[in-house]
Amino acid sequence: MNATASAAGIARLSTRDDAFDQRLDALLDWEGVSDQAVQTRVAEILEGVKTRGDAAVIEATNRFDRLSAKTMQELTLTPERLEQAYNGLPDEQREALTAAAGRIRRYHEHQKPESWQYTEADGTVLGQQVTPIDRAGIYVPGGKAAYPSSVLMNALPAHVAGVREIVMVVPTPDGVLNELVLAAAHLAGVDYVFTVGGAQAIAALAYGTETVPRVDKIVGPGNIYVATAKRAVFGQVGIDMIAGPSEILIVADGHTDPDWLAMDLFSQAEHDEDAQAILVSWDAEHLAAVEASIERLLPTLERADIVRASLGARGALIHCDSEQEAVTLINRIAPEHLELSVAEPERWLGNIRHAGAIFMGRYTAEALGDYCAGPNHVLPTSGTARFSSPLGVYDFQKRSSLIHCSAEGASSLGKIASVLARGESLTAHARSAEYRLKK
Amino acid sequence: MNATASAAGIARLSTRDDAFDQRLDALLDWEGVSDQAVQTRVAEILEGVKTRGDAAVIEATNRFDRLSAKTMQELTLTPERLEQAYNGLPDEQREALTAAAGRIRRYHEHQKPESWQYTEADGTVLGQQVTPIDRAGIYVPGGKAAYPSSVLMNALPAHVAGVREIVMVVPTPDGVLNELVLAAAHLAGVDYVFTVGGAQAIAALAYGTETVPRVDKIVGPGNIYVATAKRAVFGQVGIDMIAGPSEILIVADGHTDPDWLAMDLFSQAEHDEDAQAILVSWDAEHLAAVEASIERLLPTLERADIVRASLGARGALIHCDSEQEAVTLINRIAPEHLELSVAEPERWLGNIRHAGAIFMGRYTAEALGDYCAGPNHVLPTSGTARFSSPLGVYDFQKRSSLIHCSAEGASSLGKIASVLARGESLTAHARSAEYRLKK
C-alpha cells in the first residue's frame, strides 16, 4: 500500500513509508488560531458588552443574526416555552431523548468526587471539601450544528454536580428555533435560555448584564469568535477546553465487517469538512476491503459531499506492522475518539495513555457514545487528550483544602515552617508560625 | 467604626456603611490584563522560539537576564548539581525541607482518583480510566520571589500523579542561583532544570526545542509576560490557573490573641505590594485590639515597607453584624486563603461555598499551610475559587471514557441513537448504529 489516494479520495499510508512521520504530522496538523482581525473584533464586542450591557448584546445579535429585537425579553425563552417544545415532540423523539438523558445522568453520577479528611496522631485534621460552582453557562451553537445531544451532554453534568443555576445561550440566525434543542434544555434542567450567540453571548455570561446573570464557568463549543472570546475571558470565569474539529481513530484487527467500519468513518467525516477519520490495521487485505466499502457506500450518503471533502483532506487508511505499532500510533495521535474494533479490547487498555473516549469491540460504534451510551461526547480534540479529559461532573465542582491544626500539631509544624520561611526571608510568616509554638 | 484609615494605614469598613458594597468591590478589584505592548512582545518571543528553537531561547535569556550564554548546556542544570545543592544545605534547612516534602506527598496521595467501571444488565461495560500526563513543565519564578516551597508544591503532585518526566524552568537574573530552590527540585523528583524564564521559557516548554523537551502541561506562577505567554499557548499545552496577587480573609470571633492575627495579616501582606489581607469580625472591640497590635508590631517587621504599602492599598478591617453576615462575605469574596479563627470552625464548613484553602481554628496559621501542613499552597486567587481548585494530583492526570457494548446493548442503544441522529440530520451516524441492531 503506497502513500497514494484511493478512488474515494482517502489517503493510503504505511508506517514503512519513508516520509510517514511527516505525512502523519501534516494530516494531524490543526491550528485554530484567530488572526488579528478576529481578535480585534472580539475585543470590541467584549468591551461593548462589559460597559453597555444588554444594549450592546442586542445590537450585536441584531447585526450578526439578522434580527430586529428591541429588548432582551425578545431574546429570552421562558421555562414554559422549553416545556412546550418538549411536549410538542413526536413520541419517538421524546422517548429517545428521555432515555438518552437518563443514561447520561446515571453515568455521570459515578463521577461525583467525595469530600474526604483524615486525622493525624496529634489530632490535626487535613482534608478536601468538594462543592459545586454556583452558576454555569452553556454555549450551544446555532444553525446547522445545533445539536440537542450537546445540550444534554453539557447541561446534565452541571445538574448532577449540583450547580444552582444553568444558563444556556444559543444563537438563532434569522430567528429560526430548533425545537429539539429547546426540548433537550427542558429535559436537562436548564434554568434560563437566551437566544444570543457569538462573542456577545460569551461576554454577557462572563460579565453579566442587566438581564443575563454572570456565570462562574462557560462550557460548550463554538466558532472562532466564540473560541477567541472564551480565551479572552478565561480567568474572569472558568472555561472548558477550546475545541478543534472532531476526529476518530479506528484500530481494526481485520475481523469486523468492512461496511461497518466504512460507516463508522463516515459518521465522523459527515460532521464537517475539517473532521478527521483515520483507520489503522496491520491487515492490508482488510484495509483494501474497507476502502472498497467506502467507495461503494459513499455515494449513498445524504452528506456525501461533506464526507468526500473531509476524507480527502484529512482522512487516512494506515497500514502498520503490528498491534504494538498501532498502540504507538494511538498514543502519538491522542485521539478524541478511539474505536478498538478488535477481539479483546480490554487487553489493550493498559497500554493506552491518551484518548478522550475508548469505544471497545466491534459492536461499540462511536455513534452510540455520541448519543446515549452514557459517557460525555464533549471530548478533548487535536491531541489535547494528552492533558485533558472528557467534560464531566468534575468540571462543575471545585475543591477547598481543609487544615485544622491541634495545638500540638501547630507546634511541631510551626518549627518546620519557621525554618523554611526564614530560608525564604519571609519573617512575618516565620513569626506567625512561632506564635503557635508550645512554650 | 467608620470607613476611614487607621494610623497603620489599613482601611476600616463596616457592612453598615452606605457605600460598603462599592468600597469592597474597589478593594477586591484586580485586573491582571496585559496591554497591547506586552501582547506583541510576547507574541514575538513565542514565534521566535517556535521557529528558531534554542537559539531564540538563548538570545532572549541573555537579553532579559543579563547573561552571556553561548549554548543551552550553560543554561542546563544536571541532576548531580541539584543533589549537590541538597547535600550542601545546613542540616536544619535540609531536615525541614525533607519533613515538608514528606507531609506534602502524604496529603496528595489522598487525591489520587481511581479508575472505575460498571457492568449493565445486558453486559455493556461503562467506565473511566485515569492516566497521568506524560511530561509536566514547572515554572519557578526567579529573583526575589524564588521560593523552594513552591518547587515542592508544584512538582510533588506531578510526581504523585505518576508523571514520567518533570521539567523545571527558573530564570537566574545575573546568573544568581538559589541553592534552596535547587535542593527542593532534587527532593521533588524534578528530571531536568533549565535556567531560563519569561515568555521564552513558556515557549520552549510548549513547543519544545532541540534541547528542551515539549511538555503536555505547564504549571506555576510568573510575571505578566509569563501569564500572557501561558494564555497564548493554552490549547497547545494545558496550563493551570493564571495567578493574581495572593490574599487572605480572616474571620475572627474575638477570642484569638490580637497579636497572632496581626502577624497572620502581615504574613500575607509581606509577599508584595499587591497582596491583600482582610480581617472580618462582628466584635468591634476585637477589631480595635487587632488594629492596635498592627500599629505596635508593624515597625518591628523586616519587610515593614512592603506590608505598609499592601495594607494601605488593599487591606481592610471589616466590622460586620453577625456570623451569618461573615459567611455572606466569605462567599462573595471567594478568598484564596480563609482563616476561621473561631471556636468551632467545623460548624462553618457546610456554609462555605467558595475558598481555596480553609485554615480552621486559632492554631492554624496560614503560614503552616504555606510550608508544611500538607495541602497545596498553589491556590485560586482573585475570586477564582468560585470555579477552580488548589493545584493537585488531578491537575496532572486525565480521564478516558470507556464504553464496551455487548451485542444486546448495541442493539437497544442503537435504536435510541438512530432516532436522535436522524433528528440531527446525521444519517451516517444513524446507519452506523443501525448496522449493530439485532435482526
Side-chain angles (χ1 to χ4, degrees):
Chain A
M1 190 169 274
N2 300 313
T4 55
S6 74
I10 190 167
R12 294 184 297 202
L13 307 182
S14 163
T15 53
R16 294 188 184 177
D17 296 340
D18 283 347
F20 175 74
D21 283 340
Q22 294 90 306
R23 288 215 56 190
L24 183 61
D25 282 344
L27 262 180
L28 299 177
D29 190 42
W30 181 264
E31 278 206 82
V33 171
S34 44
D35 60 20
Q36 194 56 52
V38 172
Q39 301 238 20
T40 305
R41 214 157 141 191
V42 165
E44 282 166 12
I45 293 170
L46 294 178
E47 185 60 26
V49 173
K50 195 175 185 179
T51 51
R52 298 192 298 118
D54 282 347
V57 173
I58 294 168
E59 275 170 31
T61 302
N62 286 342
R63 185 168 152 213
F64 295 119
D65 293 337
R66 299 167 297 279
L67 303 181
S68 51
K70 300 248 174 341
T71 65
M72 275 304 289
Q73 217 178 335
E74 297 169 59
L75 302 176
T76 306
L77 299 178
T78 61
E80 292 71 32
R81 178 66 186 83
L82 305 183
E83 192 175 359
Q84 179 194 327
Y86 178 75
N87 291 329
L89 290 185
D91 286 352
E92 188 186 52
Q93 283 191 342
R94 194 175 54 250
E95 283 158 20
L97 207 59
T98 307
R103 292 187 58 87
I104 296 164
R105 190 183 293 272
R106 270 196 298 286
Y107 177 86
H108 285 81
E109 290 283 353
H110 287 263
Q111 286 181 333
K112 289 180 85 160
E114 299 291 324
S115 299
W116 51 265
Q117 50 179 252
Y118 60 96
T119 306
E120 302 192 299
D122 62 20
T124 294
V125 176
L126 299 175
Q128 195 155 62
Q129 171 163 297
V130 181
T131 47
I133 64 170
D134 279 351
R135 198 184 280 133
I138 312 276
Y139 189 95
V140 176
K144 65 173 178 173
Y147 296 140
S149 56
S150 293
V151 176
L152 298 183
M153 294 290 184
N154 279 281
L156 283 170
H159 209 255
V160 170
V163 170
R164 296 181 169 197
E165 244 176 40
I166 303 174
V167 182
M168 180 173 128
V169 291
V170 56
T172 54
D174 301 308
V176 178
L177 289 168
N178 180 322
E179 294 295 312
L180 263 165
V181 163
L182 304 190
H186 168 73
L187 201 51
V190 169
D191 295 285
Y192 303 83
V193 174
F194 298 101
T195 55
V196 298
Q200 58 274 22
I202 300 300
L205 293 172
Y207 305 127
T209 69
E210 304 90 312
T211 310
V212 181
R214 184 185 81 149
V215 305
D216 301 299
K217 185 158 185 171
I218 302 173
V219 301
N223 63 20
I224 189 70
Y225 290 93
V226 172
T228 305
K230 279 171 71 178
R231 187 185 291 270
V233 299
F234 170 58
Q236 170 75 29
V237 292
I239 62 169
D240 62 346
M241 280 303 303
I242 295 184
S246 193
E247 8 109 15
I248 194 170
L249 175 66
I250 303 178
V251 176
D253 64 5
H255 300 284
T256 306
D257 186 327
D259 283 1
W260 293 19
L261 296 177
M263 199 58 75
D264 295 352
L265 294 169
F266 295 155
S267 76
Q268 192 59 48
E270 75 173 338
H271 275 290
D272 57 63
E273 290 79 357
D274 295 322
Q276 182 154 62
I278 298 177
L279 173 65
V280 173
S281 182
W282 48 93
D283 182 335
E285 278 179 42
H286 182 64
L287 286 172
V290 174
E291 190 175 340
S293 293
I294 290 175
E295 289 179 24
R296 194 181 77 254
L297 293 170
L298 203 158
T300 72
L301 300 175
E302 263 95 345
R303 297 163 73 98
D305 290 346
I306 295 172
V307 170
R308 192 173 287 112
S310 65
L311 287 186
R314 305 199 70 219
L317 305 173
I318 301 178
H319 184 234
C320 67
D321 280 346
S322 61
E323 274 191 37
Q324 184 46 49
E325 211 175 46
V327 168
T328 303
L329 278 172
I330 291 168
N331 288 324
R332 172 165 167 195
I333 294 174
E336 179 191 12
H337 303 97
L338 171 65
E339 201 172 294
L340 295 173
S341 212
V342 299
E344 297 178 280
E346 57 287 340
R347 200 166 49 73
W348 290 56
L349 284 188
N351 295 317
I352 295 171
R353 299 204 309 280
H354 317 299
I358 307 175
F359 299 80
M360 300 162 68
R362 312 188 197 293
Y363 284 98
T364 314
E366 188 214 305
L368 304 179
D370 287 344
Y371 290 106
C372 57
N376 212 290
H377 79 195
V378 181
L379 296 165
T381 56
S382 307
T384 58
R386 291 184 292 118
F387 53 84
S388 51
S389 301
L391 189 70
V393 171
Y394 34 80
D395 286 303
F396 298 97
Q397 298 183 315
K398 65 271 185 325
R399 301 158 167 101
S400 302
S401 304
L402 303 180
I403 313 175
H404 192 169
C405 289
S406 65
E408 192 136 348
S411 189
S412 59
L413 292 178
K415 286 171 198 148
I416 302 170
S418 163
V419 171
L420 294 175
R422 291 184 183 278
E424 293 182 353
S425 305
L426 294 177
T427 44
H429 282 69
R431 289 170 66 184
S432 163
E434 289 157 10
Y435 272 139
R436 275 85 171 181
L437 296 183
K438 285 203 162 166
K439 302 295 179 295
Chain B
M1 192 170 270
N2 299 313
T4 53
S6 74
I10 191 166
R12 294 185 295 200
L13 307 182
S14 162
T15 54
R16 295 188 183 179
D17 296 341
D18 283 345
F20 176 74
D21 283 339
Q22 293 90 305
R23 288 214 58 190
L24 183 62
D25 281 345
L27 262 180
L28 299 176
D29 190 42
W30 180 263
E31 277 206 83
V33 172
S34 45
D35 61 21
Q36 195 55 51
V38 171
Q39 300 239 20
T40 304
R41 213 156 143 191
V42 165
E44 282 166 11
I45 294 170
L46 294 179
E47 185 58 26
V49 173
K50 195 176 185 179
T51 51
R52 299 191 298 119
D54 283 347
V57 174
I58 293 168
E59 275 169 32
T61 302
N62 285 343
R63 186 169 150 212
F64 296 117
D65 293 337
R66 298 167 297 280
L67 304 180
S68 50
K70 299 253 174 337
T71 66
M72 275 303 288
Q73 216 179 335
E74 298 169 59
L75 302 176
T76 306
L77 300 178
T78 62
E80 293 71 34
R81 178 65 186 83
L82 305 183
E83 191 176 359
Q84 180 195 325
Y86 178 74
N87 291 330
L89 289 185
D91 286 353
E92 187 186 53
Q93 283 191 343
R94 194 175 54 251
E95 284 158 20
L97 206 59
T98 307
R103 291 189 58 87
I104 295 163
R105 188 183 294 272
R106 269 196 299 285
Y107 176 86
H108 286 80
E109 289 284 353
H110 287 262
Q111 287 181 333
K112 288 182 86 159
E114 299 290 326
S115 298
W116 51 265
Q117 49 178 254
Y118 60 96
T119 306
E120 302 191 300
D122 62 19
T124 294
V125 176
L126 300 174
Q128 195 155 61
Q129 171 163 297
V130 181
T131 47
I133 64 170
D134 280 351
R135 198 184 278 135
I138 312 275
Y139 189 94
V140 176
K144 64 174 179 174
Y147 296 141
S149 56
S150 292
V151 176
L152 299 182
M153 294 292 183
N154 279 281
L156 283 170
H159 209 255
V160 170
V163 170
R164 294 179 170 198
E165 245 176 39
I166 303 173
V167 181
M168 182 174 128
V169 291
V170 55
T172 54
D174 301 308
V176 178
L177 289 169
N178 180 322
E179 294 295 312
L180 264 165
V181 163
L182 304 190
H186 168 74
L187 200 52
V190 169
D191 295 285
Y192 303 82
V193 174
F194 299 102
T195 54
V196 298
Q200 58 274 22
I202 299 299
L205 293 172
Y207 305 126
T209 70
E210 303 92 309
T211 310
V212 181
R214 184 184 80 149
V215 304
D216 301 299
K217 185 158 186 173
I218 302 173
V219 301
N223 63 19
I224 190 69
Y225 290 93
V226 172
T228 304
K230 279 171 71 179
R231 187 184 292 269
V233 299
F234 170 58
Q236 170 74 28
V237 293
I239 63 168
D240 61 347
M241 280 305 304
I242 295 185
S246 193
E247 7 110 16
I248 193 170
L249 175 66
I250 304 178
V251 176
D253 65 4
H255 299 284
T256 307
D257 185 325
D259 283 1
W260 292 19
L261 296 177
M263 198 58 75
D264 294 352
L265 293 169
F266 294 155
S267 77
Q268 192 58 49
E270 76 172 337
H271 275 292
D272 58 61
E273 290 78 357
D274 295 321
Q276 182 154 62
I278 297 177
L279 173 66
V280 173
S281 181
W282 49 92
D283 182 335
E285 278 179 42
H286 183 63
L287 285 172
V290 174
E291 192 177 338
S293 292
I294 291 176
E295 289 179 26
R296 193 180 77 254
L297 292 169
L298 205 157
T300 71
L301 300 175
E302 263 95 345
R303 297 163 74 96
D305 290 346
I306 295 173
V307 170
R308 190 172 287 110
S310 64
L311 287 186
R314 304 199 71 221
L317 305 173
I318 301 178
H319 183 234
C320 67
D321 279 346
S322 62
E323 274 192 37
Q324 184 46 49
E325 212 174 45
V327 168
T328 303
L329 278 171
I330 291 168
N331 288 325
R332 169 163 170 198
I333 295 174
E336 179 190 12
H337 303 96
L338 171 63
E339 202 172 293
L340 294 175
S341 212
V342 300
E344 296 178 282
E346 58 286 339
R347 200 167 49 74
W348 290 57
L349 284 188
N351 294 317
I352 296 172
R353 298 204 311 279
H354 317 298
I358 307 176
F359 299 81
M360 300 162 68
R362 311 188 198 293
Y363 283 98
T364 314
E366 187 214 305
L368 303 179
D370 286 344
Y371 290 106
C372 58
N376 211 288
H377 80 195
V378 180
L379 297 165
T381 55
S382 307
T384 58
R386 290 184 292 120
F387 53 85
S388 52
S389 301
L391 189 69
V393 171
Y394 35 80
D395 285 303
F396 298 98
Q397 297 183 316
K398 64 272 184 327
R399 300 158 167 102
S400 301
S401 305
L402 303 179
I403 313 176
H404 193 170
C405 289
S406 65
E408 192 136 349
S411 189
S412 59
L413 292 179
K415 287 171 199 150
I416 302 170
S418 164
V419 171
L420 295 175
R422 290 184 185 278
E424 293 182 353
S425 305
L426 294 177
T427 45
H429 282 69
R431 290 171 66 183
S432 164
E434 288 156 11
Y435 273 139
R436 276 85 171 181
L437 295 183
K438 283 203 164 167
K439 302 293 179 296

